[in-house]
Amino acid sequence: QVQLVESGGGLVQAGGSLRLSCTASGGTFSRYAAGWYRQAPGKERELVAAISSSGAVKKYADSVKGRFPISRDNAKNMVYLQMNSLKPEDTAVYYCTADSDYRRVSGAMAGGPDYWGQGTQVTVSS
């Protein structure tokens, strides 16, 4: 079992930046792919970014490509999402996820990731 805890959310003005962090525990984190999903009010949950267990492979939603780099530090059991040039439409609850299969995190396989954090709110004001 992997436990995930997000931090770093908050309120920011449009054009600003935030960095989300996710701390993993309970497993050998370097064996898991990880990712960030988000859900805005009234909308379906969507993939924001995914990263393979080694960090060599990454995937981004078109809406955040070039603005939200994802990274990880396996020595610290951490995953990060650097959010730059934030827009009001980025407002959502952001969830850290993990799975032993990268395809489940990236959306290439149905079912979604096995492990989810509790979520952190990001609000971007115009």
Side-chain angles (χ1 to χ4, degrees):
Q1 287 284 345
V2 175
Q3 291 81 46
L4 304 170
V5 178
E6 303 96 338
S7 60
L11 173 64
V12 64
Q13 287 189 332
S17 297
L18 283 175
R19 188 175 84 153
L20 302 185
S21 299
C22 174
T23 304
S25 61
T28 305
F29 186 60
S30 60
R31 296 179 180 175
Y32 291 85
W36 292 91
Y37 281 68
R38 68 185 181 187
Q39 188 166 23
K43 294 188 177 181
E44 292 188 357
R45 195 150 43 187
E46 62 175 354
L47 171 71
V48 176
I51 188 167
S52 63
S53 57
S54 68
V57 180
K58 301 175 185 178
K59 178 181 179 180
Y60 296 96
D62 288 343
S63 59
V64 307
K65 204 169 292 183
R67 297 191 298 129
F68 289 12
I70 188 172
S71 61
R72 65 188 296 160
D73 184 338
N74 285 340
K76 296 182 179 178
N77 291 346
M78 299 287 293
V79 180
Y80 306 99
L81 186 70
Q82 179 66 44
M83 302 190 295
N84 302 316
S85 303
L86 281 158
K87 305 175 182 180
E89 52 263 43
D90 294 319
T91 295
V93 178
Y94 284 72
Y95 298 90
C96 178
T97 69
D99 197 283
S100 58
D101 192 329
Y102 174 76
R103 296 172 298 173
R104 292 171 64 90
V105 177
S106 69
M109 178 185 291
D114 275 344
Y115 303 106
W116 293 75
Q118 81 287 353
T120 186
Q121 176 71 46
V122 172
T123 303
V124 184
S125 63
S126 57

